[in-house]
Amino acid sequence: MFSFWTELSSGLRASVLITTALAIVFVIVGARVSKLKTSDAPGGITLIFVMIVEFINENQREYFSKYWRVFTPLLFTIFIYLAFANTAALWGLSAPLSNLNVALSFSLFAFGTIQISALIIKKPWGRMKDLMDPNPAFLPLNVIGEISTPFAMGLRLFGNLVSGSIIAVLVYAVLGWLGVFIGPALHAVFDIFFGVVQAYVYYMLLTIFLSMAVEE
Amino acid sequence: MYEFTEFFAMGMAFLGAGIAVLTGIGPGIGQGYAAGKAVEAIGRQPEAAGTIRTTMIIGQALAETTGLYGLLVAIFLIFVNGL
């Protein structure tokens, strides 16, 4: 019965756990926010979430002049998932992004999001004109650029997470039980700081490329 | 003279991995340069320190990518080919 679960690799299991936990939390907080009246002042955890959403909205309005309402929920979801997935080592899970499958599916996701929304918003002919930007001879170069940037975004996440875990393994192998003393600093840098910075970088890059593809 | 054996191939893969991580030099220079420029900018305009720091960290995280490619090549050489 549990063979499906135990046969998954550790990164994928962590990914499923994080997604489930986030879904539960967001449903609860969403119910509490939707019950708020406009005259009420939110408090506690609701206030924190309202402030985060407000901050992300402000951030998105700098990049999207017209379509920020369409893309902000998507980008915010990705940012939250990545921020928790990259710090998963703090809860004893292995980071999902240190699995090459998860990392490459993130580049596939970025590629699909950019291409499909550009096709829907600009219509195929407008998109084609964008790809042949200075003149039609640049078409192959632009197509390669469209493919390689999402690929690099996924590989960047993978490389960062894997290098962090490899360095942690090496340091623990060399130091043995002395690793207890240096461990906290190591995890603070490689799990919390680099993980959150990489989540922010992925979010920022997806925002910038989406706005370049979608806006005039 | 030298015979081509499994052992020889493994050693060469490890040597290649060692050479591949030399790509770390490039991002090291680039990130150091970015940090130096950011310190200059903060010294000239201390009230913009927050923005400058955020921009610097994003730029450095982007510059890191080339080094990470070298690291990935090294990992693949060791774990796919070598062992």
Side-chain angles (χ1 to χ4, degrees), chain A residues 100 152 155-156 158-160 162-163 166 193 197-198 200-201 204-205, chain B residues 54 57-65 68-69 71-72 75-76 79:
Chain A
L100 189 57
L155 278 189
R156 179 177 301 128
F158 174 68
N160 267 286
V162 159
S163 66
I166 284 181
F193 180 69
V197 164
Q198 286 308 316
Y200 188 67
V201 164
M204 229 41 243
L205 283 179
Chain B
T54 317
I57 286 175
I58 292 177
Q60 288 185 335
L62 281 177
E64 222 172 54
T65 316
L68 288 174
Y69 289 157
L71 177 76
L72 285 182
I75 289 172
F76 290 147
F79 288 106

CSV table of all heavy atoms in Angstrom, one decimal, chain A residues 100 152 155-156 158-160 162-163 166 193 197-198 200-201 204-205, chain B residues 54 57-65 68-69 71-72 75-76 79:
chain,number,residue,atom,x,y,z
A,100,LEU,N,17.5,16.4,-9.6
A,100,LEU,CA,17.6,17.0,-10.9
A,100,LEU,C,16.2,17.0,-11.6
A,100,LEU,O,15.9,18.0,-12.3
A,100,LEU,CB,18.6,16.2,-11.8
A,100,LEU,CG,19.0,16.9,-13.1
A,100,LEU,CD1,19.5,18.3,-12.9
A,100,LEU,CD2,20.0,16.1,-13.9
A,152,ALA,N,18.7,27.5,-17.8
A,152,ALA,CA,19.7,28.0,-16.8
A,152,ALA,C,19.1,28.2,-15.5
A,152,ALA,O,19.7,28.0,-14.4
A,152,ALA,CB,20.4,29.2,-17.4
A,155,LEU,N,18.8,24.9,-13.7
A,155,LEU,CA,20.1,24.4,-13.3
A,155,LEU,C,20.8,25.2,-12.2
A,155,LEU,O,21.5,24.6,-11.4
A,155,LEU,CB,21.1,24.4,-14.5
A,155,LEU,CG,20.9,23.2,-15.4
A,155,LEU,CD1,22.0,23.2,-16.5
A,155,LEU,CD2,21.0,21.9,-14.7
A,156,ARG,N,20.5,26.5,-12.1
A,156,ARG,CA,21.0,27.3,-11.1
A,156,ARG,C,20.5,26.9,-9.7
A,156,ARG,O,21.3,26.7,-8.8
A,156,ARG,CB,20.6,28.8,-11.3
A,156,ARG,CG,21.1,29.7,-10.3
A,156,ARG,CD,20.7,31.1,-10.7
A,156,ARG,NE,21.3,31.5,-12.0
A,156,ARG,CZ,20.6,32.0,-13.0
A,156,ARG,NH1,19.3,32.2,-12.8
A,156,ARG,NH2,21.2,32.3,-14.1
A,158,PHE,N,19.4,23.9,-9.0
A,158,PHE,CA,19.9,22.5,-8.7
A,158,PHE,C,21.4,22.7,-8.2
A,158,PHE,O,21.7,22.1,-7.2
A,158,PHE,CB,19.9,21.7,-10.0
A,158,PHE,CG,20.6,20.4,-9.9
A,158,PHE,CD1,20.1,19.4,-9.1
A,158,PHE,CD2,21.7,20.1,-10.6
A,158,PHE,CE1,20.7,18.2,-9.0
A,158,PHE,CE2,22.4,18.9,-10.5
A,158,PHE,CZ,21.8,17.9,-9.7
A,159,GLY,N,22.2,23.5,-8.9
A,159,GLY,CA,23.6,23.6,-8.6
A,159,GLY,C,23.7,24.2,-7.2
A,159,GLY,O,24.5,23.7,-6.4
A,160,ASN,N,23.0,25.2,-6.8
A,160,ASN,CA,23.1,25.8,-5.5
A,160,ASN,C,22.8,24.8,-4.4
A,160,ASN,O,23.5,24.6,-3.4
A,160,ASN,CB,22.2,27.0,-5.4
A,160,ASN,CG,22.9,28.2,-5.8
A,160,ASN,OD1,23.8,28.7,-5.0
A,160,ASN,ND2,22.7,28.7,-6.9
A,162,VAL,N,22.6,21.5,-4.5
A,162,VAL,CA,23.5,20.3,-4.5
A,162,VAL,C,24.8,20.7,-3.9
A,162,VAL,O,25.3,20.0,-3.0
A,162,VAL,CB,23.6,19.7,-5.9
A,162,VAL,CG1,24.9,18.9,-5.9
A,162,VAL,CG2,22.4,18.8,-6.2
A,163,SER,N,25.3,21.9,-4.3
A,163,SER,CA,26.6,22.3,-3.7
A,163,SER,C,26.6,22.4,-2.2
A,163,SER,O,27.5,22.1,-1.5
A,163,SER,CB,27.1,23.5,-4.4
A,163,SER,OG,26.3,24.6,-4.1
A,166,ILE,N,26.5,19.0,-0.6
A,166,ILE,CA,27.8,18.3,-0.8
A,166,ILE,C,28.8,18.9,0.2
A,166,ILE,O,29.5,18.1,0.9
A,166,ILE,CB,28.3,18.4,-2.2
A,166,ILE,CG1,27.5,17.4,-3.1
A,166,ILE,CG2,29.8,18.0,-2.3
A,166,ILE,CD1,28.0,17.4,-4.5
A,193,PHE,N,20.3,31.1,4.1
A,193,PHE,CA,20.6,32.3,3.3
A,193,PHE,C,20.6,32.0,1.8
A,193,PHE,O,19.9,32.7,1.0
A,193,PHE,CB,22.0,32.9,3.7
A,193,PHE,CG,22.4,34.1,2.9
A,193,PHE,CD1,21.7,35.3,3.1
A,193,PHE,CD2,23.4,34.0,2.0
A,193,PHE,CE1,22.1,36.4,2.4
A,193,PHE,CE2,23.8,35.1,1.3
A,193,PHE,CZ,23.1,36.3,1.5
A,197,VAL,N,17.8,33.3,-1.0
A,197,VAL,CA,18.3,34.1,-2.1
A,197,VAL,C,18.0,33.5,-3.4
A,197,VAL,O,17.6,34.2,-4.3
A,197,VAL,CB,19.8,34.4,-1.9
A,197,VAL,CG1,20.4,35.0,-3.2
A,197,VAL,CG2,20.1,35.4,-0.8
A,198,GLN,N,18.2,32.2,-3.5
A,198,GLN,CA,18.0,31.5,-4.8
A,198,GLN,C,16.5,31.5,-5.1
A,198,GLN,O,16.1,31.7,-6.3
A,198,GLN,CB,18.5,30.1,-4.8
A,198,GLN,CG,20.0,30.0,-5.0
A,198,GLN,CD,20.5,30.8,-6.1
A,198,GLN,OE1,20.0,30.8,-7.2
A,198,GLN,NE2,21.6,31.6,-5.9
A,200,TYR,N,14.4,33.9,-4.3
A,200,TYR,CA,14.1,35.2,-4.7
A,200,TYR,C,14.6,35.5,-6.1
A,200,TYR,O,14.0,36.2,-6.9
A,200,TYR,CB,14.7,36.2,-3.7
A,200,TYR,CG,14.3,37.6,-3.9
A,200,TYR,CD1,13.0,38.0,-3.7
A,200,TYR,CD2,15.2,38.6,-4.4
A,200,TYR,CE1,12.6,39.3,-4.0
A,200,TYR,CE2,14.8,39.9,-4.6
A,200,TYR,CZ,13.5,40.3,-4.4
A,200,TYR,OH,13.1,41.5,-4.7
A,201,VAL,N,15.8,34.9,-6.4
A,201,VAL,CA,16.4,35.1,-7.7
A,201,VAL,C,15.5,34.5,-8.8
A,201,VAL,O,15.2,35.1,-9.8
A,201,VAL,CB,17.8,34.6,-7.8
A,201,VAL,CG1,18.3,34.4,-9.2
A,201,VAL,CG2,18.7,35.5,-7.1
A,204,MET,N,12.4,36.6,-9.2
A,204,MET,CA,12.7,37.8,-9.9
A,204,MET,C,12.9,37.6,-11.4
A,204,MET,O,12.4,38.4,-12.2
A,204,MET,CB,14.0,38.4,-9.3
A,204,MET,CG,14.0,39.8,-8.8
A,204,MET,SD,12.6,40.3,-8.0
A,204,MET,CE,12.1,41.5,-9.2
A,205,LEU,N,13.7,36.6,-11.7
A,205,LEU,CA,14.0,36.3,-13.1
A,205,LEU,C,12.7,35.9,-13.9
A,205,LEU,O,12.5,36.4,-15.0
A,205,LEU,CB,15.0,35.1,-13.2
A,205,LEU,CG,16.4,35.5,-12.9
A,205,LEU,CD1,17.3,34.3,-13.1
A,205,LEU,CD2,16.9,36.6,-13.9
B,54,THR,N,20.4,44.7,-2.0
B,54,THR,CA,19.5,43.7,-2.7
B,54,THR,C,20.0,43.5,-4.1
B,54,THR,O,20.1,42.3,-4.5
B,54,THR,CB,18.1,44.2,-2.7
B,54,THR,OG1,17.8,44.8,-1.4
B,54,THR,CG2,17.1,43.1,-3.0
B,57,ILE,N,23.2,41.4,-4.2
B,57,ILE,CA,23.0,40.0,-3.9
B,57,ILE,C,22.4,39.3,-5.1
B,57,ILE,O,22.8,38.2,-5.5
B,57,ILE,CB,22.2,39.8,-2.6
B,57,ILE,CG1,23.0,40.1,-1.4
B,57,ILE,CG2,21.7,38.3,-2.5
B,57,ILE,CD1,22.3,40.1,-0.1
B,58,ILE,N,21.4,39.9,-5.8
B,58,ILE,CA,20.8,39.3,-7.0
B,58,ILE,C,21.9,39.1,-8.1
B,58,ILE,O,22.0,38.1,-8.7
B,58,ILE,CB,19.6,40.1,-7.5
B,58,ILE,CG1,18.5,40.0,-6.4
B,58,ILE,CG2,19.1,39.6,-8.8
B,58,ILE,CD1,17.3,40.9,-6.8
B,59,GLY,N,22.6,40.2,-8.3
B,59,GLY,CA,23.7,40.1,-9.3
B,59,GLY,C,24.7,39.1,-9.0
B,59,GLY,O,25.1,38.3,-9.9
B,60,GLN,N,25.1,38.9,-7.8
B,60,GLN,CA,26.1,37.9,-7.4
B,60,GLN,C,25.5,36.5,-7.6
B,60,GLN,O,26.2,35.6,-8.1
B,60,GLN,CB,26.5,38.1,-6.0
B,60,GLN,CG,27.4,39.3,-5.8
B,60,GLN,CD,28.0,39.5,-4.5
B,60,GLN,OE1,27.4,39.0,-3.5
B,60,GLN,NE2,29.1,40.2,-4.3
B,61,ALA,N,24.2,36.4,-7.2
B,61,ALA,CA,23.6,35.0,-7.4
B,61,ALA,C,23.6,34.7,-8.9
B,61,ALA,O,23.7,33.5,-9.3
B,61,ALA,CB,22.2,35.0,-6.8
B,62,LEU,N,23.4,35.7,-9.8
B,62,LEU,CA,23.4,35.4,-11.2
B,62,LEU,C,24.8,35.0,-11.7
B,62,LEU,O,25.0,34.1,-12.5
B,62,LEU,CB,22.9,36.6,-12.0
B,62,LEU,CG,21.4,36.8,-12.0
B,62,LEU,CD1,21.0,38.0,-12.7
B,62,LEU,CD2,20.7,35.6,-12.7
B,63,ALA,N,25.8,35.8,-11.2
B,63,ALA,CA,27.2,35.6,-11.6
B,63,ALA,C,27.7,34.2,-11.2
B,63,ALA,O,28.6,33.6,-11.8
B,63,ALA,CB,28.1,36.7,-11.1
B,64,GLU,N,27.0,33.6,-10.1
B,64,GLU,CA,27.5,32.4,-9.6
B,64,GLU,C,27.2,31.2,-10.6
B,64,GLU,O,27.8,30.2,-10.5
B,64,GLU,CB,26.7,32.1,-8.3
B,64,GLU,CG,27.4,31.5,-7.2
B,64,GLU,CD,26.5,31.5,-6.0
B,64,GLU,OE1,25.5,30.9,-6.1
B,64,GLU,OE2,26.9,32.0,-5.0
B,65,THR,N,26.3,31.4,-11.5
B,65,THR,CA,25.8,30.3,-12.4
B,65,THR,C,27.0,29.7,-13.1
B,65,THR,O,27.0,28.4,-13.2
B,65,THR,CB,24.8,30.9,-13.4
B,65,THR,OG1,23.9,31.7,-12.7
B,65,THR,CG2,24.0,29.8,-14.0
B,68,LEU,N,28.7,27.3,-11.0
B,68,LEU,CA,27.9,26.1,-10.8
B,68,LEU,C,27.9,25.2,-11.9
B,68,LEU,O,27.9,23.9,-11.7
B,68,LEU,CB,26.5,26.5,-10.4
B,68,LEU,CG,26.3,27.2,-9.1
B,68,LEU,CD1,24.9,27.7,-8.9
B,68,LEU,CD2,26.7,26.3,-8.0
B,69,TYR,N,28.0,25.7,-13.1
B,69,TYR,CA,28.1,24.8,-14.3
B,69,TYR,C,29.4,23.9,-14.2
B,69,TYR,O,29.4,22.7,-14.4
B,69,TYR,CB,28.1,25.5,-15.6
B,69,TYR,CG,26.8,26.1,-15.9
B,69,TYR,CD1,26.7,27.2,-16.8
B,69,TYR,CD2,25.6,25.6,-15.4
B,69,TYR,CE1,25.5,27.8,-17.1
B,69,TYR,CE2,24.4,26.2,-15.7
B,69,TYR,CZ,24.4,27.3,-16.5
B,69,TYR,OH,23.2,27.8,-16.8
B,71,LEU,N,30.9,23.2,-11.4
B,71,LEU,CA,30.7,22.2,-10.3
B,71,LEU,C,29.8,21.0,-10.8
B,71,LEU,O,30.2,19.9,-10.5
B,71,LEU,CB,30.0,22.9,-9.2
B,71,LEU,CG,29.6,22.0,-8.0
B,71,LEU,CD1,30.9,21.7,-7.2
B,71,LEU,CD2,28.6,22.7,-7.2
B,72,LEU,N,28.8,21.3,-11.6
B,72,LEU,CA,28.0,20.2,-12.1
B,72,LEU,C,28.8,19.3,-13.0
B,72,LEU,O,28.6,18.0,-12.9
B,72,LEU,CB,26.8,20.8,-12.9
B,72,LEU,CG,25.7,21.4,-12.2
B,72,LEU,CD1,24.6,21.9,-13.1
B,72,LEU,CD2,25.1,20.5,-11.2
B,75,ILE,N,30.8,17.1,-10.8
B,75,ILE,CA,30.0,16.1,-10.1
B,75,ILE,C,29.7,14.9,-11.0
B,75,ILE,O,29.8,13.8,-10.7
B,75,ILE,CB,28.7,16.7,-9.5
B,75,ILE,CG1,29.0,17.6,-8.4
B,75,ILE,CG2,27.7,15.6,-9.1
B,75,ILE,CD1,27.8,18.4,-7.9
B,76,PHE,N,29.3,15.3,-12.3
B,76,PHE,CA,28.9,14.3,-13.2
B,76,PHE,C,30.2,13.4,-13.6
B,76,PHE,O,30.1,12.2,-13.7
B,76,PHE,CB,28.3,14.9,-14.5
B,76,PHE,CG,27.0,15.4,-14.3
B,76,PHE,CD1,26.6,16.5,-15.0
B,76,PHE,CD2,26.1,14.8,-13.4
B,76,PHE,CE1,25.3,17.1,-14.8
B,76,PHE,CE2,24.9,15.4,-13.2
B,76,PHE,CZ,24.5,16.5,-13.9
B,79,PHE,N,30.7,11.1,-10.4
B,79,PHE,CA,29.7,10.1,-10.0
B,79,PHE,C,29.1,9.3,-11.1
B,79,PHE,O,28.7,8.2,-10.9
B,79,PHE,CB,28.5,10.8,-9.2
B,79,PHE,CG,28.9,11.3,-7.9
B,79,PHE,CD1,29.1,12.6,-7.6
B,79,PHE,CD2,29.2,10.3,-6.9
B,79,PHE,CE1,29.5,13.0,-6.4
B,79,PHE,CE2,29.5,10.8,-5.6
B,79,PHE,CZ,29.7,12.1,-5.4
